[in-house]
Amino acid sequence: MNKNTFFNVRNLAIMGMMAALAAVLMFFDFPIPFIAPNFYKLDFSEIPILIGAFMLGPVAGIVIELVKNLLNILLSGSSTGAVGEFANFCVGCALVVPASFFYQRHKSRKNALIGLAVGTVVMTIASIVLNALVMLPFYSSMMPLENIIAAGAAINPAVSNVWTFCLLTVAPFNLVKAILVSLITMLIYKKISVLLRGNH
């Protein structure tokens, strides 16, 4: 797909619609207190992004993910100086790009499942690295790192430092998120399969 074909009116409309829907879904977030501290919130904004990426490919997924986060900053501001949105963008792409890459190779339910499984693993790993190296050092300027680690230890006593925090709270949180998002995407797969198959 060349640049002119990719950025046609239909594709731009699809990407805009999916990004807007994803931005709205970001408002309906909630914690999973038995897995991670309450400042980690789960939302389902990756579902429309996955659908858009399945329809138009990995590049579209990246564009939609970027626009979603820009819209979120525009609508509700950023309490993290856009660092949180940057992490959300990277972790979201870690799920969406592999999933849509595998699906685009051969558009089938099996390839969608394989892509989502690979994306789930990549997203979980990316969340560990991003939180350990970017998010937690940044948030430590607002909340002492000891308090962040203590919040994780209250859920899992094995948490004792940044890396165990990321491995034992952040990773399970993102694993659950990726699995839920993937399951819902596959549940609505049949309803959107006509659209997906129609975009060869």
Side-chain angles (χ1 to χ4, degrees):
M1 184 181 289
N2 63 48
K3 185 176 179 181
N4 291 334
T5 304
F6 180 74
F7 288 107
N8 60 38
V9 174
R10 174 182 177 272
N11 289 359
L12 288 173
I14 291 170
M15 287 188 283
M17 180 176 64
M18 295 303 179
L21 181 55
V24 170
L25 287 174
M26 283 191 82
F27 286 105
F28 300 96
D29 58 0
F30 56 93
I32 314 178
F34 55 91
I35 293 178
N38 286 347
F39 45 84
Y40 284 92
K41 302 285 180 68
L42 187 152
D43 65 69
F44 295 108
S45 62
E46 261 64 55
I47 294 171
I49 300 174
L50 275 169
I51 294 170
F54 277 0
M55 291 176 70
L56 304 175
V59 174
I62 294 170
V63 172
I64 299 168
E65 190 75 54
L66 177 63
V67 174
K68 175 198 79 171
N69 279 287
L70 291 175
L71 284 172
N72 185 62
I73 293 172
L74 187 65
L75 293 171
S76 56
S78 176
S79 60
T80 65
V83 173
E85 287 74 19
F86 171 74
N88 183 281
F89 168 77
C90 293
V91 172
C93 286
L95 171 65
V96 171
V97 171
S100 56
F101 172 78
F102 276 92
Y103 182 76
Q104 288 290 320
R105 291 181 67 187
H106 180 68
K107 296 186 177 184
S108 67
R109 188 179 183 86
K110 178 183 176 182
N111 270 24
L113 283 168
I114 292 171
L116 288 166
V118 173
T120 295
V121 173
V122 175
M123 176 180 173
T124 303
I125 294 170
S127 71
I128 295 170
V129 175
L130 279 167
N131 273 270
L133 300 181
V134 179
M135 293 304 296
L136 293 182
F138 174 82
Y139 280 121
S140 66
S141 64
M142 295 182 289
M143 178 189 294
L145 197 55
E146 305 79 51
N147 292 4
I148 296 173
I149 293 169
I155 297 167
N156 188 330
V159 172
S160 59
N161 54 43
V162 168
W163 285 100
T164 54
F165 178 91
C166 293
L167 285 167
L168 299 175
T169 63
V170 175
F173 174 87
N174 281 279
L175 183 62
V176 168
K177 177 178 179 177
I179 290 171
L180 288 174
V181 166
S182 297
L183 285 173
I184 295 170
T185 300
M186 291 309 299
L187 284 173
I188 63 176
Y189 175 91
K190 285 186 178 180
K191 296 183 184 298
I192 62 170
S193 61
V194 174
L195 288 173
L196 299 178
R197 284 197 302 268
N199 197 68
H200 287 284

